Amino acid sequence: MDTAGRRRSVAALAAVAAVVAGGAACGDTSATDGDPAGPPRIMLNEAQHAGGATVDVVGLPAADLAAVRSAPWAAEEWEALLRVTVAGGSTAATDRPAVLGDYQVAGSALRFTPRYPFDPGRQYLVVFTPGRLPASGAAARELWRLGPLTATVGSLAVERAPATRVARVYPTGAELPENQLRFYVHFSAPMGLAGGADYVRLLDEAGQVVDDAFLPLDLAMWNADRTRYTLLFDPGRVKRGIRPNEQHGRPLAAGRRFTLAVDDAWPDAHGLPLVEPYSRSFAVGPPEERAIDPAAWRIGAPAAGTRDPLAVDFDRALDHALLLRAFLVLTPDGARVTGRADVRASETRWVFTPRESWEDREYRLTVLAALEDTAGNRVGRPFEVGTSAAPAGGGAAAPTQLSFRPTGTAREPSAARATR
């Protein structure tokens, strides 16, 4: 090899070494050329993503990007191509769990978006393995394809003040049944992974903690974005005839008042405490042990030719989270009517506003079998199965169908007509 050739080889190897050593940058990838002269770069992209930074691999040839875009990959195949882990620590990088997130080709970048935002001040190790790229017709002689490219990325720590608070707790009624099954605690922003066992208490009128009121489980109690936590009363204490109920009774007692207290030490997604503690007092009434009966509901049919809301009034409070997904409005031929649903009047009213105007024909309101009231009673099946309130057939698992017909003018609510 002549002197000029050796110089070109040394320069190319130096470029590869610079990437492997972990050179990372921050900025916008929108102007990156899809067919670069140099090796790809790994960078933390904070410029265009209000919801959080992404890890971008920029500078890949267009043929590679097209091949990745069309590849029907599973999550583990994406992870083998582009793996992000928390940097540092005594554990080898290959043994650390990968950061969870989504992969895509975004313009001229191969992008990883973490499921939860990267922590400010924390460093992340990124390993991009070109050998995992699908066959793309790109020049296999490019030196950067010979081994993995790595970078350590991260943003500076930001001084933060607590900003997350308890936004609302469901059910919202002033009086709850003695056999209440759950609370939904909603937060104003995503929370951390910690469950509520150490941060939520039930207090009696004297301010004393009611021992073992809640089921001490944290798994699967968060919704997808960790803004809602489901707090379950111990069903063994709520349901009659079970040993915990016989030994300790129900956590709530009719005729008394209780307080739900949330400690402000509960950490949010940034590890910060809540802005302030939360508490809410409520009265307790008799247990609700009847199955849900849609025939007791009242349907306020809207006027035809309008987008007036359909309103369904219940004879008791129903479960807030289930109300948001347990109803379907269908045309006579079974097509779904699209629109927006709201829950009002302390979870005793469901309101549906259609996207298009109502027609002068009969519609069906489908009630899914999963619907419950706040005490766990379902349509045709009470929570206390086996009591005198239970139907002989053991309850219905099929959806319930209610019918209504928009009128020429608004009218008074009518009793629901239920079929199964």
Side-chain angles (χ1 to χ4, degrees):
M1 181 182 297
D2 58 19
T3 302
R6 284 195 299 272
R7 288 175 179 171
R8 286 194 296 271
S9 297
V10 170
L13 288 171
V16 174
V19 176
V20 174
C26 297
D28 183 8
T29 63
S30 59
T32 303
D33 186 358
D35 289 295
R41 293 181 296 119
I42 300 171
M43 58 187 294
L44 186 70
N45 187 354
E46 299 177 290
Q48 295 183 332
H49 311 289
T54 62
V55 169
D56 290 359
V57 179
V58 299
L60 282 168
D64 282 306
L65 291 170
V68 172
R69 186 181 287 111
S70 61
W73 282 354
E76 59 269 17
E77 294 174 293
W78 279 109
E79 187 179 303
L81 176 65
L82 182 60
R83 180 179 170 85
V84 181
T85 60
V86 175
S90 57
T91 307
T94 54
D95 295 331
R96 299 174 202 150
V99 176
L100 299 178
D102 299 316
Y103 298 84
Q104 66 179 133
V105 175
S108 58
L110 176 61
R111 175 164 295 164
F112 171 79
T113 303
R115 181 172 301 178
Y116 307 113
F118 291 124
D119 294 331
R122 187 185 296 277
Q123 297 295 299
Y124 297 86
L125 176 65
V126 184
V127 179
F128 172 63
T129 307
R132 297 285 184 170
L133 290 167
S136 62
R141 292 172 296 179
E142 294 167 333
L143 291 176
W144 56 265
R145 297 180 184 273
L146 299 179
L149 312 181
T150 67
T152 300
V153 302
S155 57
L156 296 176
V158 178
E159 287 293 332
R160 295 180 181 270
T164 306
R165 64 182 71 242
V166 174
R168 200 169 182 87
V169 173
Y170 293 94
T172 59
E175 181 178 280
L176 305 181
E178 182 184 81
N179 55 343
Q180 174 77 27
L181 270 186
R182 61 181 70 90
F183 286 109
Y184 296 111
V185 184
H186 288 249
F187 297 89
S188 61
M191 294 289 288
L193 294 174
D198 296 328
Y199 306 102
V200 180
R201 295 166 297 156
L202 182 68
L203 309 178
D204 61 18
E205 299 100 327
Q208 299 300 308
V209 175
V210 178
D211 292 330
D212 303 321
F214 301 113
L215 197 63
L217 293 177
D218 292 337
L219 298 178
M221 294 295 101
W222 290 108
N223 65 346
D225 61 4
R226 298 208 309 276
T227 57
R228 186 195 72 206
Y229 185 79
T230 302
L231 189 64
L232 291 172
F233 283 98
D234 186 344
R237 291 190 60 181
V238 174
K239 190 175 181 66
R240 294 183 306 183
I242 297 179
R243 180 174 296 180
N245 173 267
E246 294 176 343
Q247 292 179 337
H248 307 290
R250 286 170 170 158
L252 303 178
R256 298 176 59 186
R257 293 191 65 83
F258 293 83
T259 298
L260 180 71
V262 179
D263 195 327
D264 59 358
W266 201 342
D268 68 7
H270 301 291
L272 297 174
L274 302 177
V275 172
E276 58 191 0
Y278 171 91
S279 66
R280 172 191 156 196
S281 296
F282 54 91
V284 176
E288 178 55 79
E289 297 177 339
R290 300 170 297 157
I292 296 175
D293 182 8
W297 299 349
R298 305 284 290 181
I299 296 181
T306 73
R307 295 182 59 246
D308 291 348
L310 165 71
V312 183
D313 290 288
F314 314 119
D315 62 331
R316 71 190 80 166
L318 301 184
D319 183 279
H320 179 265
L322 294 174
L323 273 173
L324 294 175
R325 60 179 187 270
F327 290 91
L328 297 175
V329 181
L330 305 175
T331 63
D333 55 4
R336 183 172 180 176
V337 179
T338 58
R340 187 188 72 251
D342 295 304
V343 178
R344 301 177 183 174
S346 296
E347 299 79 66
T348 63
R349 169 175 284 192
W350 182 82
V351 176
F352 177 82
T353 304
R355 184 173 298 174
E356 305 291 340
S357 297
W358 298 105
E359 299 179 19
D360 185 10
R361 57 176 177 166
E362 190 170 84
Y363 290 82
R364 297 201 311 271
L365 178 64
T366 297
V367 185
L368 301 184
L371 181 64
E372 296 180 359
D373 64 15
T374 63
N377 302 297
R378 295 189 173 189
V379 176
R381 185 180 180 86
F383 181 70
E384 296 285 353
V385 174
T387 67
S388 58
T400 299
Q401 304 289 338
L402 307 177
S403 62
F404 68 96
R405 186 183 187 106
T407 61
T409 58
R411 66 181 185 184
E412 290 298 313
S414 61
R417 300 191 305 276
T419 60
R420 298 186 188 123

